[in-house]
Amino acid sequence: MNNIRTWVWRIVAGVLLVGIARPAEAQAVERLLADLKKRHAQAQNVRYTLTGVREVKRSQDKPAGPERSKPQAIRAMLTIDLANKKYRLESNEQIFSEADGKVIRRVGTHAYDGKAEQHFLPRDQNAMAPNDPDLILATGPLGGGEVDARYHPVFAAHGVLPTVNKALMPDQLPVDHDPDEFVPRGEVAYAGRRCTVFRTEPLNTVPGLTDELWTDPARDSAVLRKVLYSGKSPTCRLDVEFQGTPHGWLPKSWTVTWAFGGKVDKIERLTVTNIEFDLPLHADDFTLPVRPGMIILADQYPSPGTGLNPAYPAHAKYQVDESGRWVELEKKGFTTFGGQVTDEGVQLPSGSTRRWWWIAGGSVLVIGLGALIVWRYRARRST
C-alpha cells in the first residue's frame, strides 16, 4: 500500500513540475521575442564604424602557410535603415589572392535599396581583369545570398536576429519570429553573466542545422554567444562583448570563429569604434550610382513555384556607354530543375509536358461529352 502511495505522489509531483516548467519555458521565449522587438524600436536607423583583423589558420584542410597566415586588416561602415529594411556596407579589407599568391586589398560597397542587392568594386582600387564587372545587381526573391555572418551581431543588437529558419537575406530581414523556433535549454554562466540558452528547431530548413543562443536577460536579451551547428559540429561561433549606451546594451566587439570538419579555419575579430543613430538618410544612400564605362552583371532570381532553379538565376552583362545607355554584352535565361534554359524566363517545370497532355486530353474529352449531350438533346426534341 505504501508503495502505491509513493508512486501516486511521484506522478502528482511530476505533473506539477511539468506544469510549472512549461510556463517558465514559454515565458523565457516570450521575453526573448519581446526584447528583440524592443531593440528593433530603439532607432529608425543606425550606422556602425568597425575595425578588425582576420587570422587564417587552415586552407583546404592544411596549414595556411606563412603568406596566408599574415593578419589581414578589416575596416567597415555598416548603415542599417531599420524602418525601411535597407542597408549599406562599405568595406576596405585585406584578402589573400589565390591568383597572386599574396595578400591584396579589396575595397567594395554592398547595399540593398528595397529592390536590388548591389555589390560595387571600384576598378581603380581593386585588382580586376578587364572583363570583370564593376557592379553586380541581384533582383528577385532571396537574390544575392545571405549577408556575411561577421556582421550579424550588429543586426541582432537591433532586433534583426538571423536563425537557421530565417536567414539574413537582402530582401528578408528576420524581424518577426515564430515562438516555436526557440527551445530553452537551461542557464549557464558566461563572461560573468547568467545566460539563458536557446536552441533553434529547424522548422523549414535543412535537418541537422541548428543555432545555439546564449542570451543575457538582464541586458535586454543581448546575444553573447551564437553558434551554428551542422549536426554536432560547430561551423560558425560568434562571441560578443556588450557596452552600455543611451540606446541600450549594444555590441562593443566580437570574435567570429569559422570551423570546418571540426578544425578552425579562420578567426575574425571586430571592434566598434563609433555608433550613430537616426541619421538624415535618403533613398539614394542605398542605390549605388552607375557611371559610363562600367561593366554591370545583372542576376535575376526566379520566384518560388515556377519550376525554375534559384541556384541558376538568369543573368545579363552590360557595358555603360558615354551616354549612359546599357549596351548588352551577353545574356542567359532561367534554368529549370531539369536543366532546360529559357531566354524568356517563362518555362514550365521539368517533366510538365506529360501534364499538358493530360490537360489537353481532358479538354478534348469534356468537349466531346458536351457535344454528345447537345446532339442527344436535339435528337429527343426532333422526335
Side-chain angles (χ1 to χ4, degrees):
M1 190 68 179
N2 290 333
N3 290 336
I4 294 176
R5 289 179 180 177
T6 300
W7 278 107
V8 169
W9 279 112
R10 287 179 178 178
I11 293 172
V12 172
V15 171
L16 290 175
L17 287 173
V18 170
I20 295 172
R22 285 182 177 174
E25 290 184 353
Q27 289 174 8
V29 175
E30 289 174 1
R31 179 167 186 170
L32 170 64
L33 298 182
D35 284 340
L36 289 175
K37 289 183 179 180
K38 176 183 177 180
R39 288 178 170 277
H40 191 258
Q42 286 174 343
Q44 293 292 305
N45 61 70
V46 294
R47 175 176 291 164
Y48 279 67
T49 304
L50 309 166
T51 60
V53 65
R54 179 189 303 108
E55 299 175 16
V56 180
K57 301 297 184 181
R58 303 182 67 82
S59 174
Q60 299 178 353
D61 203 30
K62 297 179 180 179
E67 186 66 27
R68 190 191 293 266
S69 298
K70 290 181 179 179
Q72 302 166 13
I74 302 172
R75 288 186 294 168
M77 185 166 65
L78 174 59
T79 304
I80 308 176
D81 186 344
L82 297 163
N84 298 299
K85 298 182 179 180
K86 303 176 182 179
Y87 62 85
R88 178 187 178 110
L89 172 64
E90 300 172 55
S91 61
N92 185 336
E93 58 186 303
Q94 294 176 321
I95 64 170
F96 182 81
S97 170
E98 297 288 351
D100 300 326
K102 62 180 181 180
V103 174
I104 62 173
R105 188 174 66 152
R106 176 60 56 89
V107 180
T109 303
H110 179 202
Y112 180 71
D113 62 358
K115 297 180 181 179
E117 187 263 353
Q118 310 145 77
H119 190 196
F120 173 57
L121 292 174
R123 191 170 294 274
D124 59 342
Q125 300 182 60
N126 295 277
M128 298 169 62
N131 294 325
D132 286 344
D134 304 89
L135 180 64
I136 301 175
L137 304 176
T139 57
L142 308 180
E146 297 185 44
V147 178
D148 196 330
R150 79 174 80 158
Y151 301 109
H152 283 188
V154 176
F155 285 91
H158 296 279
V160 184
L161 178 64
T163 67
V164 294
N165 295 297
K166 289 192 173 182
L168 183 56
M169 307 299 289
D171 62 337
Q172 291 187 12
L173 301 186
V175 177
D176 297 318
H177 288 275
D178 188 330
D180 291 338
E181 284 187 64
F182 304 98
V183 179
R185 300 297 293 271
E187 295 183 344
V188 296
Y190 174 70
R193 308 296 302 177
R194 195 67 182 172
C195 297
T196 302
V197 179
F198 296 91
R199 294 275 282 194
T200 60
E201 293 296 327
L203 302 179
N204 55 0
T205 186
V206 179
L209 291 180
T210 187
D211 303 293
E212 187 171 271
L213 307 172
W214 296 20
T215 66
D216 187 347
R219 293 180 172 179
D220 297 331
S221 297
V223 181
L224 303 186
R225 171 172 285 182
K226 182 174 183 287
V227 187
L228 173 63
Y229 285 91
S230 178
K232 295 182 179 180
S233 300
T235 59
C236 178
R237 191 184 77 197
L238 289 161
D239 294 293
V240 188
E241 181 182 354
F242 281 78
Q243 59 183 330
T245 74
H247 291 81
W249 290 96
L250 299 176
K252 178 181 179 181
S253 62
W254 62 88
T255 301
V256 191
T257 304
W258 302 88
F260 180 76
K263 298 178 181 179
V264 175
D265 277 357
K266 62 181 178 181
I267 299 174
E268 295 174 321
R269 296 181 174 87
L270 292 169
T271 301
V272 178
T273 59
N274 190 39
I275 308 178
E276 302 170 82
F277 293 88
D278 296 330
L279 303 166
L281 301 178
H282 305 282
D284 292 344
D285 294 330
F286 302 94
T287 301
L288 305 186
V290 175
R291 300 185 179 89
M294 292 176 60
I295 297 177
I296 300 174
L297 180 64
D299 290 335
Q300 183 180 358
Y301 288 78
S303 299
T306 58
L308 303 173
N309 193 338
Y312 298 96
H315 77 267
K317 196 172 186 179
Y318 305 90
Q319 185 158 26
V320 184
D321 65 15
E322 292 300 324
S323 65
R325 185 172 63 94
W326 293 24
V327 179
E328 185 177 294
L329 302 178
E330 60 181 65
K331 182 179 180 181
K332 181 182 178 182
F334 292 104
T335 302
T336 67
F337 283 100
Q340 300 169 336
V341 178
T342 166
D343 292 334
E344 300 300 326
V346 180
Q347 180 70 36
L348 296 172
S350 178
S352 61
T353 306
R354 182 181 299 176
R355 183 171 60 188
W356 276 105
W357 276 110
W358 279 105
I359 295 173
S363 301
V364 172
L365 180 61
V366 170
I367 294 172
L369 288 174
L372 178 61
I373 292 171
V374 172
W375 177 79
R376 292 189 64 181
Y377 173 74
R378 289 181 176 177
R380 286 181 180 179
R381 289 194 63 183
S382 62
T383 302

